Amino acid sequence: MISDYHTHTYFSTDSEAKPIEHIRRAKECGMNEICFTDHLDLDYPKEDGKEMFKLDPVPYFKELNALRKKYDGEINVRIGLEMGLNPSIAADNNAFANAYPFDFIIGSSHIVNGIDPYYPEYWGDRSIKDSIMAYFEAVLKNVTTFDNYDVYGHLDYVRRYVPDKTYVYTDDEFYDITDMILKNIIAKGKGIELNTRGLSKGITYFVPTISLLKRYNDLGGEIITVGSDAHSTDKIGYAFKTARDILLNTGFKYVTGFEGRKPYFVEL
């Protein structure tokens, strides 16, 4: 069973899941490892005066290291991070990543011009195409200005929240900018992920699109992880059998694991 490399727990603002329950579920699924990647978004706006996604690394490492020791020999517990990127916080992100012994870091774009595409306000009065382009422009800035991540998460995350459900997204409209993003990721020795969260929420597609996966592979991209982006334990490993088929059918022979920020490859 492919290992889950994108999971969230009560160390993330948007989850109440217990790490030990994730581990038990991963074992039930037949996984030999699981990676925790709780959120750090240093520039995420406050909600009702509350700080959002400010990971406290001390209790995080304390609990996960204890679980790693408890389950030693049964399942590998990797300690990771999903880091929200923006050029304005690049120095702080870099300092945080270097200060702690993470196994794996996902770089993600959640905030564009001060707002998450999750919120209707992001889309405003501009066209859907312009809103999506603004998101990819932010991703391109991130991959060109920041290197301290291992895999870029949910590359076309913005698609999840398009307000007009009749809108038809086509990769061709954004080919030039996504190609620049992928080439930059590959040139810097980084990877991408296949994120299955949308399927668990009733959306009928993976993130990124199959054509983007294929393009990444055609360009020589080899580093790829699979993540459920689970915020609840029942979503651990969701649709991973289908994810494996998609990877094989788009030319991948391996998925990637990480230990101490070093990649290793596992045959599909």
mmCIF file of all heavy atoms in Angstrom, residues 5-6 37 81-85 103-109 143 146-155 185 188-195 207-208 216 222-227 255-258 261-265:
data_model
loop_
_atom_site.group_PDB
_atom_site.id
_atom_site.type_symbol
_atom_site.label_atom_id
_atom_site.label_comp_id
_atom_site.label_asym_id
_atom_site.label_seq_id
_atom_site.Cartn_x
_atom_site.Cartn_y
_atom_site.Cartn_z
ATOM 1 N N TYR A 5 1.555 10.572 2.531
ATOM 2 C CA TYR A 5 2.524 11.635 2.781
ATOM 3 C C TYR A 5 1.894 13.021 2.863
ATOM 4 O O TYR A 5 2.565 14.029 2.622
ATOM 5 C CB TYR A 5 3.633 11.594 1.720
ATOM 6 C CG TYR A 5 4.867 10.888 2.240
ATOM 7 C CD1 TYR A 5 4.895 9.507 2.376
ATOM 8 C CD2 TYR A 5 5.989 11.601 2.646
ATOM 9 C CE1 TYR A 5 5.996 8.853 2.877
ATOM 10 C CE2 TYR A 5 7.098 10.960 3.155
ATOM 11 C CZ TYR A 5 7.105 9.597 3.266
ATOM 12 O OH TYR A 5 8.210 8.957 3.772
ATOM 13 N N HIS A 6 0.618 13.067 3.243
ATOM 14 C CA HIS A 6 -0.018 14.371 3.481
ATOM 15 C C HIS A 6 -1.178 14.135 4.439
ATOM 16 O O HIS A 6 -2.270 13.745 4.032
ATOM 17 C CB HIS A 6 -0.505 14.976 2.156
ATOM 18 C CG HIS A 6 -0.895 16.416 2.251
ATOM 19 N ND1 HIS A 6 -0.803 17.291 1.176
ATOM 20 C CD2 HIS A 6 -1.394 17.156 3.270
ATOM 21 C CE1 HIS A 6 -1.229 18.484 1.532
ATOM 22 N NE2 HIS A 6 -1.598 18.426 2.808
ATOM 23 N N THR A 37 2.026 15.973 8.317
ATOM 24 C CA THR A 37 2.412 17.228 7.668
ATOM 25 C C THR A 37 1.465 18.343 8.114
ATOM 26 O O THR A 37 0.723 18.910 7.309
ATOM 27 C CB THR A 37 2.368 17.082 6.130
ATOM 28 O OG1 THR A 37 1.060 16.615 5.742
ATOM 29 C CG2 THR A 37 3.406 16.092 5.634
ATOM 30 N N LEU A 81 5.865 18.534 7.513
ATOM 31 C CA LEU A 81 5.300 19.876 7.657
ATOM 32 C C LEU A 81 4.690 20.284 6.326
ATOM 33 O O LEU A 81 5.264 20.002 5.267
ATOM 34 C CB LEU A 81 6.423 20.848 8.026
ATOM 35 C CG LEU A 81 6.116 22.334 8.138
ATOM 36 C CD1 LEU A 81 5.264 22.611 9.366
ATOM 37 C CD2 LEU A 81 7.417 23.137 8.213
ATOM 38 N N GLU A 82 3.523 20.915 6.370
ATOM 39 C CA GLU A 82 3.008 21.603 5.192
ATOM 40 C C GLU A 82 3.165 23.093 5.439
ATOM 41 O O GLU A 82 2.508 23.671 6.301
ATOM 42 C CB GLU A 82 1.547 21.275 4.903
ATOM 43 C CG GLU A 82 1.074 21.983 3.629
ATOM 44 C CD GLU A 82 -0.364 21.705 3.240
ATOM 45 O OE1 GLU A 82 -1.090 21.055 4.032
ATOM 46 O OE2 GLU A 82 -0.767 22.142 2.152
ATOM 47 N N MET A 83 4.056 23.701 4.666
ATOM 48 C CA MET A 83 4.450 25.083 4.876
ATOM 49 C C MET A 83 3.829 25.967 3.801
ATOM 50 O O MET A 83 4.076 25.783 2.607
ATOM 51 C CB MET A 83 5.976 25.186 4.832
ATOM 52 C CG MET A 83 6.532 26.576 4.988
ATOM 53 S SD MET A 83 8.348 26.571 4.869
ATOM 54 C CE MET A 83 8.757 25.881 6.481
ATOM 55 N N GLY A 84 3.011 26.914 4.220
ATOM 56 C CA GLY A 84 2.453 27.882 3.291
ATOM 57 C C GLY A 84 3.516 28.874 2.857
ATOM 58 O O GLY A 84 4.183 29.482 3.688
ATOM 59 N N LEU A 85 3.689 29.020 1.554
ATOM 60 C CA LEU A 85 4.772 29.840 1.024
ATOM 61 C C LEU A 85 4.271 31.188 0.523
ATOM 62 O O LEU A 85 3.161 31.314 0.011
ATOM 63 C CB LEU A 85 5.474 29.108 -0.124
ATOM 64 C CG LEU A 85 6.018 27.702 0.178
ATOM 65 C CD1 LEU A 85 6.774 27.171 -1.032
ATOM 66 C CD2 LEU A 85 6.905 27.698 1.415
ATOM 67 N N ASP A 103 11.484 15.324 8.551
ATOM 68 C CA ASP A 103 11.765 14.333 7.516
ATOM 69 C C ASP A 103 11.367 14.819 6.142
ATOM 70 O O ASP A 103 11.949 14.402 5.129
ATOM 71 C CB ASP A 103 11.001 13.022 7.806
ATOM 72 C CG ASP A 103 11.570 12.273 8.995
ATOM 73 O OD1 ASP A 103 12.787 11.984 8.990
ATOM 74 O OD2 ASP A 103 10.796 11.970 9.925
ATOM 75 N N PHE A 104 10.391 15.716 6.097
ATOM 76 C CA PHE A 104 9.751 16.029 4.822
ATOM 77 C C PHE A 104 9.012 17.353 4.953
ATOM 78 O O PHE A 104 8.382 17.622 5.985
ATOM 79 C CB PHE A 104 8.761 14.907 4.496
ATOM 80 C CG PHE A 104 7.920 15.100 3.268
ATOM 81 C CD1 PHE A 104 8.490 15.187 2.008
ATOM 82 C CD2 PHE A 104 6.537 15.155 3.371
ATOM 83 C CE1 PHE A 104 7.706 15.337 0.881
ATOM 84 C CE2 PHE A 104 5.734 15.300 2.241
ATOM 85 C CZ PHE A 104 6.323 15.391 0.991
ATOM 86 N N ILE A 105 9.087 18.180 3.902
ATOM 87 C CA ILE A 105 8.359 19.446 3.902
ATOM 88 C C ILE A 105 7.608 19.607 2.580
ATOM 89 O O ILE A 105 8.214 19.560 1.506
ATOM 90 C CB ILE A 105 9.290 20.650 4.141
ATOM 91 C CG1 ILE A 105 9.881 20.591 5.550
ATOM 92 C CG2 ILE A 105 8.530 21.963 3.934
ATOM 93 C CD1 ILE A 105 10.842 21.713 5.870
ATOM 94 N N ILE A 106 6.303 19.798 2.697
ATOM 95 C CA ILE A 106 5.471 20.170 1.561
ATOM 96 C C ILE A 106 5.437 21.692 1.489
ATOM 97 O O ILE A 106 5.153 22.353 2.485
ATOM 98 C CB ILE A 106 4.027 19.653 1.722
ATOM 99 C CG1 ILE A 106 3.986 18.128 1.809
ATOM 100 C CG2 ILE A 106 3.147 20.155 0.572
ATOM 101 C CD1 ILE A 106 2.600 17.588 2.172
ATOM 102 N N GLY A 107 5.735 22.239 0.322
ATOM 103 C CA GLY A 107 5.513 23.651 0.085
ATOM 104 C C GLY A 107 4.154 23.828 -0.574
ATOM 105 O O GLY A 107 3.824 23.106 -1.513
ATOM 106 N N SER A 108 3.360 24.764 -0.090
ATOM 107 C CA SER A 108 2.011 24.963 -0.624
ATOM 108 C C SER A 108 1.717 26.442 -0.801
ATOM 109 O O SER A 108 2.304 27.288 -0.126
ATOM 110 C CB SER A 108 0.953 24.372 0.315
ATOM 111 O OG SER A 108 1.075 22.981 0.420
ATOM 112 N N SER A 109 0.795 26.727 -1.699
ATOM 113 C CA SER A 109 0.275 28.084 -1.849
ATOM 114 C C SER A 109 -1.174 28.097 -1.393
ATOM 115 O O SER A 109 -2.037 27.489 -2.035
ATOM 116 C CB SER A 109 0.358 28.540 -3.312
ATOM 117 O OG SER A 109 1.700 28.722 -3.709
ATOM 118 N N VAL A 143 8.120 29.210 -6.247
ATOM 119 C CA VAL A 143 9.123 28.225 -6.645
ATOM 120 C C VAL A 143 10.405 28.883 -7.141
ATOM 121 O O VAL A 143 11.464 28.247 -7.138
ATOM 122 C CB VAL A 143 8.590 27.230 -7.695
ATOM 123 C CG1 VAL A 143 7.416 26.436 -7.146
ATOM 124 C CG2 VAL A 143 8.225 27.913 -9.004
ATOM 125 N N PHE A 146 12.026 30.465 -3.380
ATOM 126 C CA PHE A 146 12.173 29.663 -2.160
ATOM 127 C C PHE A 146 12.499 28.218 -2.534
ATOM 128 O O PHE A 146 11.859 27.637 -3.405
ATOM 129 C CB PHE A 146 10.873 29.708 -1.349
ATOM 130 C CG PHE A 146 11.004 29.115 0.025
ATOM 131 C CD1 PHE A 146 11.621 29.817 1.040
ATOM 132 C CD2 PHE A 146 10.498 27.857 0.305
ATOM 133 C CE1 PHE A 146 11.743 29.275 2.323
ATOM 134 C CE2 PHE A 146 10.620 27.308 1.582
ATOM 135 C CZ PHE A 146 11.237 28.032 2.596
ATOM 136 N N ASP A 147 13.510 27.667 -1.870
ATOM 137 C CA ASP A 147 13.985 26.316 -2.199
ATOM 138 C C ASP A 147 13.839 25.315 -1.066
ATOM 139 O O ASP A 147 14.050 24.115 -1.283
ATOM 140 C CB ASP A 147 15.474 26.356 -2.573
ATOM 141 C CG ASP A 147 15.757 27.199 -3.792
ATOM 142 O OD1 ASP A 147 14.816 27.429 -4.585
ATOM 143 O OD2 ASP A 147 16.920 27.645 -3.946
ATOM 144 N N ASN A 148 13.498 25.762 0.133
ATOM 145 C CA ASN A 148 13.577 24.882 1.296
ATOM 146 C C ASN A 148 12.284 24.098 1.511
ATOM 147 O O ASN A 148 11.632 24.203 2.550
ATOM 148 C CB ASN A 148 13.939 25.687 2.545
ATOM 149 C CG ASN A 148 14.582 24.820 3.608
ATOM 150 O OD1 ASN A 148 14.610 23.596 3.499
ATOM 151 N ND2 ASN A 148 15.095 25.444 4.651
ATOM 152 N N TYR A 149 11.925 23.336 0.500
ATOM 153 C CA TYR A 149 10.807 22.401 0.573
ATOM 154 C C TYR A 149 11.207 21.177 -0.242
ATOM 155 O O TYR A 149 12.220 21.197 -0.965
ATOM 156 C CB TYR A 149 9.512 23.033 0.024
ATOM 157 C CG TYR A 149 9.534 23.259 -1.468
ATOM 158 C CD1 TYR A 149 8.992 22.318 -2.341
ATOM 159 C CD2 TYR A 149 10.116 24.398 -2.023
ATOM 160 C CE1 TYR A 149 9.027 22.508 -3.714
ATOM 161 C CE2 TYR A 149 10.156 24.594 -3.393
ATOM 162 C CZ TYR A 149 9.613 23.642 -4.235
ATOM 163 O OH TYR A 149 9.656 23.829 -5.594
ATOM 164 N N ASP A 150 10.442 20.105 -0.142
ATOM 165 C CA ASP A 150 10.777 18.870 -0.857
ATOM 166 C C ASP A 150 9.825 18.571 -1.998
ATOM 167 O O ASP A 150 10.233 18.111 -3.062
ATOM 168 C CB ASP A 150 10.800 17.690 0.126
ATOM 169 C CG ASP A 150 11.786 17.917 1.253
ATOM 170 O OD1 ASP A 150 12.959 18.205 0.968
ATOM 171 O OD2 ASP A 150 11.377 17.853 2.432
ATOM 172 N N VAL A 151 8.543 18.817 -1.761
ATOM 173 C CA VAL A 151 7.506 18.538 -2.754
ATOM 174 C C VAL A 151 6.511 19.684 -2.721
ATOM 175 O O VAL A 151 6.164 20.181 -1.651
ATOM 176 C CB VAL A 151 6.802 17.193 -2.431
ATOM 177 C CG1 VAL A 151 5.448 17.087 -3.103
ATOM 178 C CG2 VAL A 151 7.686 16.010 -2.832
ATOM 179 N N TYR A 152 6.063 20.123 -3.902
ATOM 180 C CA TYR A 152 5.031 21.162 -3.938
ATOM 181 C C TYR A 152 3.665 20.499 -3.859
ATOM 182 O O TYR A 152 3.354 19.603 -4.633
ATOM 183 C CB TYR A 152 5.131 22.020 -5.204
ATOM 184 C CG TYR A 152 4.782 23.458 -4.907
ATOM 185 C CD1 TYR A 152 5.774 24.384 -4.600
ATOM 186 C CD2 TYR A 152 3.460 23.872 -4.867
ATOM 187 C CE1 TYR A 152 5.456 25.704 -4.271
ATOM 188 C CE2 TYR A 152 3.131 25.183 -4.541
ATOM 189 C CZ TYR A 152 4.122 26.086 -4.242
ATOM 190 O OH TYR A 152 3.804 27.379 -3.899
ATOM 191 N N GLY A 153 2.869 20.952 -2.896
ATOM 192 C CA GLY A 153 1.590 20.309 -2.622
ATOM 193 C C GLY A 153 0.456 20.844 -3.473
ATOM 194 O O GLY A 153 0.476 21.992 -3.914
ATOM 195 N N HIS A 154 -0.526 19.993 -3.708
ATOM 196 C CA HIS A 154 -1.758 20.303 -4.457
ATOM 197 C C HIS A 154 -1.561 21.481 -5.411
ATOM 198 O O HIS A 154 -2.097 22.576 -5.237
ATOM 199 C CB HIS A 154 -2.956 20.542 -3.544
ATOM 200 C CG HIS A 154 -2.730 21.368 -2.311
ATOM 201 N ND1 HIS A 154 -2.220 22.654 -2.343
ATOM 202 C CD2 HIS A 154 -2.969 21.104 -1.012
ATOM 203 C CE1 HIS A 154 -2.167 23.144 -1.122
ATOM 204 N NE2 HIS A 154 -2.630 22.214 -0.292
ATOM 205 N N LEU A 155 -0.813 21.208 -6.477
ATOM 206 C CA LEU A 155 -0.306 22.249 -7.372
ATOM 207 C C LEU A 155 -1.402 23.137 -7.949
ATOM 208 O O LEU A 155 -1.218 24.337 -8.110
ATOM 209 C CB LEU A 155 0.485 21.590 -8.509
ATOM 210 C CG LEU A 155 1.411 22.485 -9.306
ATOM 211 C CD1 LEU A 155 2.488 23.097 -8.421
ATOM 212 C CD2 LEU A 155 2.055 21.691 -10.441
ATOM 213 N N ILE A 185 10.542 23.441 -10.670
ATOM 214 C CA ILE A 185 10.527 22.418 -9.621
ATOM 215 C C ILE A 185 11.536 21.321 -9.938
ATOM 216 O O ILE A 185 12.320 20.906 -9.069
ATOM 217 C CB ILE A 185 9.102 21.844 -9.471
ATOM 218 C CG1 ILE A 185 8.184 22.865 -8.788
ATOM 219 C CG2 ILE A 185 9.115 20.527 -8.683
ATOM 220 C CD1 ILE A 185 6.714 22.487 -8.792
ATOM 221 N N LYS A 188 15.308 22.326 -9.714
ATOM 222 C CA LYS A 188 15.807 22.486 -8.350
ATOM 223 C C LYS A 188 15.803 21.179 -7.565
ATOM 224 O O LYS A 188 16.063 21.173 -6.362
ATOM 225 C CB LYS A 188 14.980 23.551 -7.618
ATOM 226 C CG LYS A 188 15.208 24.950 -8.183
ATOM 227 C CD LYS A 188 14.468 26.001 -7.380
ATOM 228 C CE LYS A 188 14.797 27.400 -7.902
ATOM 229 N NZ LYS A 188 14.109 28.455 -7.132
ATOM 230 N N GLY A 189 15.486 20.075 -8.244
ATOM 231 C CA GLY A 189 15.526 18.774 -7.583
ATOM 232 C C GLY A 189 14.382 18.538 -6.625
ATOM 233 O O GLY A 189 14.478 17.700 -5.719
ATOM 234 N N LYS A 190 13.280 19.252 -6.828
ATOM 235 C CA LYS A 190 12.098 19.083 -5.980
ATOM 236 C C LYS A 190 11.080 18.198 -6.690
ATOM 237 O O LYS A 190 11.281 17.768 -7.822
ATOM 238 C CB LYS A 190 11.482 20.439 -5.649
ATOM 239 C CG LYS A 190 12.469 21.477 -5.139
ATOM 240 C CD LYS A 190 13.196 21.037 -3.880
ATOM 241 C CE LYS A 190 14.150 22.116 -3.405
ATOM 242 N NZ LYS A 190 14.919 21.686 -2.202
ATOM 243 N N GLY A 191 9.955 17.936 -6.007
ATOM 244 C CA GLY A 191 8.927 17.078 -6.575
ATOM 245 C C GLY A 191 7.550 17.676 -6.426
ATOM 246 O O GLY A 191 7.387 18.822 -5.980
ATOM 247 N N ILE A 192 6.555 16.889 -6.803
ATOM 248 C CA ILE A 192 5.153 17.273 -6.625
ATOM 249 C C ILE A 192 4.425 16.115 -5.946
ATOM 250 O O ILE A 192 4.982 15.032 -5.776
ATOM 251 C CB ILE A 192 4.468 17.647 -7.954
ATOM 252 C CG1 ILE A 192 4.388 16.424 -8.895
ATOM 253 C CG2 ILE A 192 5.189 18.809 -8.629
ATOM 254 C CD1 ILE A 192 3.548 16.678 -10.144
ATOM 255 N N GLU A 193 3.183 16.360 -5.584
ATOM 256 C CA GLU A 193 2.375 15.306 -4.991
ATOM 257 C C GLU A 193 1.123 15.055 -5.833
ATOM 258 O O GLU A 193 0.652 15.944 -6.546
ATOM 259 C CB GLU A 193 1.960 15.640 -3.562
ATOM 260 C CG GLU A 193 0.891 16.719 -3.470
ATOM 261 C CD GLU A 193 0.196 16.792 -2.106
ATOM 262 O OE1 GLU A 193 0.524 16.026 -1.196
ATOM 263 O OE2 GLU A 193 -0.703 17.650 -1.978
ATOM 264 N N LEU A 194 0.613 13.845 -5.705
ATOM 265 C CA LEU A 194 -0.729 13.521 -6.189
ATOM 266 C C LEU A 194 -1.629 13.524 -4.966
ATOM 267 O O LEU A 194 -1.454 12.713 -4.051
ATOM 268 C CB LEU A 194 -0.743 12.158 -6.877
ATOM 269 C CG LEU A 194 -2.110 11.654 -7.368
ATOM 270 C CD1 LEU A 194 -2.779 12.663 -8.280
ATOM 271 C CD2 LEU A 194 -1.966 10.314 -8.064
ATOM 272 N N ASN A 195 -2.560 14.466 -4.929
ATOM 273 C CA ASN A 195 -3.390 14.710 -3.759
ATOM 274 C C ASN A 195 -4.794 14.181 -4.029
ATOM 275 O O ASN A 195 -5.431 14.571 -5.003
ATOM 276 C CB ASN A 195 -3.410 16.223 -3.486
ATOM 277 C CG ASN A 195 -4.122 16.608 -2.218
ATOM 278 O OD1 ASN A 195 -5.307 16.348 -2.067
ATOM 279 N ND2 ASN A 195 -3.410 17.265 -1.317
ATOM 280 N N VAL A 207 -5.833 16.135 -7.763
ATOM 281 C CA VAL A 207 -5.021 17.348 -7.859
ATOM 282 C C VAL A 207 -3.555 16.919 -7.798
ATOM 283 O O VAL A 207 -3.164 16.268 -6.831
ATOM 284 C CB VAL A 207 -5.351 18.323 -6.706
ATOM 285 C CG1 VAL A 207 -4.402 19.502 -6.704
ATOM 286 C CG2 VAL A 207 -6.798 18.806 -6.820
ATOM 287 N N PRO A 208 -2.750 17.232 -8.827
ATOM 288 C CA PRO A 208 -3.100 17.989 -10.022
ATOM 289 C C PRO A 208 -3.812 17.119 -11.064
ATOM 290 O O PRO A 208 -4.003 15.925 -10.861
ATOM 291 C CB PRO A 208 -1.737 18.444 -10.544
ATOM 292 C CG PRO A 208 -0.814 17.338 -10.166
ATOM 293 C CD PRO A 208 -1.318 16.863 -8.820
ATOM 294 N N TYR A 216 4.629 16.619 -16.159
ATOM 295 C CA TYR A 216 5.720 16.553 -15.189
ATOM 296 C C TYR A 216 6.613 15.348 -15.486
ATOM 297 O O TYR A 216 7.843 15.464 -15.498
ATOM 298 C CB TYR A 216 5.138 16.466 -13.779
ATOM 299 C CG TYR A 216 6.138 16.232 -12.676
ATOM 300 C CD1 TYR A 216 7.052 17.217 -12.314
ATOM 301 C CD2 TYR A 216 6.161 15.030 -11.979
ATOM 302 C CE1 TYR A 216 7.957 17.005 -11.281
ATOM 303 C CE2 TYR A 216 7.054 14.812 -10.944
ATOM 304 C CZ TYR A 216 7.959 15.801 -10.600
ATOM 305 O OH TYR A 216 8.857 15.583 -9.596
ATOM 306 N N GLU A 222 10.698 13.069 -11.468
ATOM 307 C CA GLU A 222 10.698 11.726 -10.889
ATOM 308 C C GLU A 222 10.173 11.692 -9.460
ATOM 309 O O GLU A 222 9.640 10.670 -9.021
ATOM 310 C CB GLU A 222 12.119 11.141 -10.921
ATOM 311 C CG GLU A 222 12.670 10.919 -12.306
ATOM 312 C CD GLU A 222 14.063 10.333 -12.283
ATOM 313 O OE1 GLU A 222 14.868 10.735 -11.414
ATOM 314 O OE2 GLU A 222 14.351 9.477 -13.136
ATOM 315 N N ILE A 223 10.365 12.774 -8.712
ATOM 316 C CA ILE A 223 9.984 12.786 -7.306
ATOM 317 C C ILE A 223 8.485 13.057 -7.198
ATOM 318 O O ILE A 223 8.009 14.126 -7.592
ATOM 319 C CB ILE A 223 10.777 13.838 -6.529
ATOM 320 C CG1 ILE A 223 12.272 13.485 -6.538
ATOM 321 C CG2 ILE A 223 10.265 13.967 -5.096
ATOM 322 C CD1 ILE A 223 13.162 14.544 -5.925
ATOM 323 N N ILE A 224 7.753 12.080 -6.687
ATOM 324 C CA ILE A 224 6.315 12.260 -6.514
ATOM 325 C C ILE A 224 5.846 11.495 -5.284
ATOM 326 O O ILE A 224 6.244 10.337 -5.071
ATOM 327 C CB ILE A 224 5.523 11.838 -7.763
ATOM 328 C CG1 ILE A 224 4.044 12.268 -7.640
ATOM 329 C CG2 ILE A 224 5.667 10.349 -8.069
ATOM 330 C CD1 ILE A 224 3.313 12.356 -8.959
ATOM 331 N N THR A 225 5.073 12.150 -4.455
ATOM 332 C CA THR A 225 4.464 11.513 -3.288
ATOM 333 C C THR A 225 2.955 11.447 -3.501
ATOM 334 O O THR A 225 2.408 12.117 -4.371
ATOM 335 C CB THR A 225 4.762 12.300 -2.001
ATOM 336 O OG1 THR A 225 4.296 13.644 -2.143
ATOM 337 C CG2 THR A 225 6.261 12.307 -1.692
ATOM 338 N N VAL A 226 2.294 10.632 -2.697
ATOM 339 C CA VAL A 226 0.844 10.535 -2.726
ATOM 340 C C VAL A 226 0.320 10.897 -1.340
ATOM 341 O O VAL A 226 0.819 10.390 -0.333
ATOM 342 C CB VAL A 226 0.368 9.126 -3.126
ATOM 343 C CG1 VAL A 226 -1.155 9.063 -3.147
ATOM 344 C CG2 VAL A 226 0.929 8.743 -4.495
ATOM 345 N N GLY A 227 -0.655 11.795 -1.311
ATOM 346 C CA GLY A 227 -1.193 12.231 -0.021
ATOM 347 C C GLY A 227 -2.699 12.335 -0.041
ATOM 348 O O GLY A 227 -3.293 12.808 -1.006
ATOM 349 N N VAL A 255 7.015 5.706 -6.384
ATOM 350 C CA VAL A 255 6.632 6.832 -5.540
ATOM 351 C C VAL A 255 7.810 7.125 -4.626
ATOM 352 O O VAL A 255 8.726 6.309 -4.485
ATOM 353 C CB VAL A 255 5.367 6.548 -4.701
ATOM 354 C CG1 VAL A 255 4.138 6.508 -5.584
ATOM 355 C CG2 VAL A 255 5.509 5.280 -3.893
ATOM 356 N N THR A 256 7.772 8.284 -4.000
ATOM 357 C CA THR A 256 8.908 8.732 -3.210
ATOM 358 C C THR A 256 8.558 8.779 -1.737
ATOM 359 O O THR A 256 7.453 9.170 -1.353
ATOM 360 C CB THR A 256 9.353 10.130 -3.670
ATOM 361 O OG1 THR A 256 9.409 10.169 -5.092
ATOM 362 C CG2 THR A 256 10.727 10.474 -3.112
ATOM 363 N N GLY A 257 9.508 8.364 -0.910
ATOM 364 C CA GLY A 257 9.437 8.554 0.525
ATOM 365 C C GLY A 257 10.584 9.453 0.947
ATOM 366 O O GLY A 257 11.526 9.692 0.174
ATOM 367 N N PHE A 258 10.516 9.956 2.177
ATOM 368 C CA PHE A 258 11.566 10.841 2.677
ATOM 369 C C PHE A 258 11.925 10.478 4.111
ATOM 370 O O PHE A 258 11.073 10.135 4.920
ATOM 371 C CB PHE A 258 11.111 12.305 2.640
ATOM 372 C CG PHE A 258 11.127 12.921 1.272
ATOM 373 C CD1 PHE A 258 10.070 12.712 0.393
ATOM 374 C CD2 PHE A 258 12.192 13.697 0.864
ATOM 375 C CE1 PHE A 258 10.074 13.268 -0.872
ATOM 376 C CE2 PHE A 258 12.208 14.270 -0.402
ATOM 377 C CZ PHE A 258 11.150 14.062 -1.277
ATOM 378 N N ARG A 261 14.758 14.549 5.199
ATOM 379 C CA ARG A 261 14.708 15.402 3.998
ATOM 380 C C ARG A 261 15.406 14.760 2.798
ATOM 381 O O ARG A 261 15.602 15.416 1.765
ATOM 382 C CB ARG A 261 15.323 16.789 4.262
ATOM 383 C CG ARG A 261 14.770 17.567 5.457
ATOM 384 C CD ARG A 261 13.395 18.118 5.222
ATOM 385 N NE ARG A 261 13.275 18.939 4.039
ATOM 386 C CZ ARG A 261 13.608 20.231 3.967
ATOM 387 N NH1 ARG A 261 14.082 20.846 5.052
ATOM 388 N NH2 ARG A 261 13.452 20.918 2.859
ATOM 389 N N LYS A 262 15.744 13.480 2.892
ATOM 390 C CA LYS A 262 16.387 12.771 1.782
ATOM 391 C C LYS A 262 15.362 11.845 1.126
ATOM 392 O O LYS A 262 14.707 11.042 1.809
ATOM 393 C CB LYS A 262 17.576 11.957 2.265
ATOM 394 C CG LYS A 262 18.654 12.775 2.981
ATOM 395 C CD LYS A 262 19.309 13.777 2.039
ATOM 396 C CE LYS A 262 20.447 14.507 2.745
ATOM 397 N NZ LYS A 262 21.064 15.542 1.864
ATOM 398 N N PRO A 263 15.235 11.922 -0.222
ATOM 399 C CA PRO A 263 14.250 11.076 -0.893
ATOM 400 C C PRO A 263 14.749 9.658 -1.125
ATOM 401 O O PRO A 263 15.944 9.410 -1.272
ATOM 402 C CB PRO A 263 14.052 11.800 -2.236
ATOM 403 C CG PRO A 263 15.368 12.448 -2.495
ATOM 404 C CD PRO A 263 15.907 12.850 -1.139
ATOM 405 N N TYR A 264 13.823 8.728 -1.142
ATOM 406 C CA TYR A 264 14.102 7.360 -1.590
ATOM 407 C C TYR A 264 12.892 6.893 -2.389
ATOM 408 O O TYR A 264 11.789 7.427 -2.269
ATOM 409 C CB TYR A 264 14.402 6.428 -0.413
ATOM 410 C CG TYR A 264 13.365 6.389 0.661
ATOM 411 C CD1 TYR A 264 12.311 5.491 0.623
ATOM 412 C CD2 TYR A 264 13.455 7.267 1.749
ATOM 413 C CE1 TYR A 264 11.343 5.459 1.632
ATOM 414 C CE2 TYR A 264 12.499 7.248 2.755
ATOM 415 C CZ TYR A 264 11.461 6.346 2.688
ATOM 416 O OH TYR A 264 10.512 6.321 3.683
ATOM 417 N N PHE A 265 13.090 5.889 -3.222
ATOM 418 C CA PHE A 265 12.077 5.518 -4.193
ATOM 419 C C PHE A 265 11.542 4.109 -3.925
ATOM 420 O O PHE A 265 12.314 3.194 -3.634
ATOM 421 C CB PHE A 265 12.644 5.628 -5.610
ATOM 422 C CG PHE A 265 13.021 7.043 -5.972
ATOM 423 C CD1 PHE A 265 14.305 7.509 -5.736
ATOM 424 C CD2 PHE A 265 12.092 7.911 -6.509
ATOM 425 C CE1 PHE A 265 14.657 8.816 -6.037
ATOM 426 C CE2 PHE A 265 12.425 9.214 -6.816
ATOM 427 C CZ PHE A 265 13.705 9.668 -6.586
#
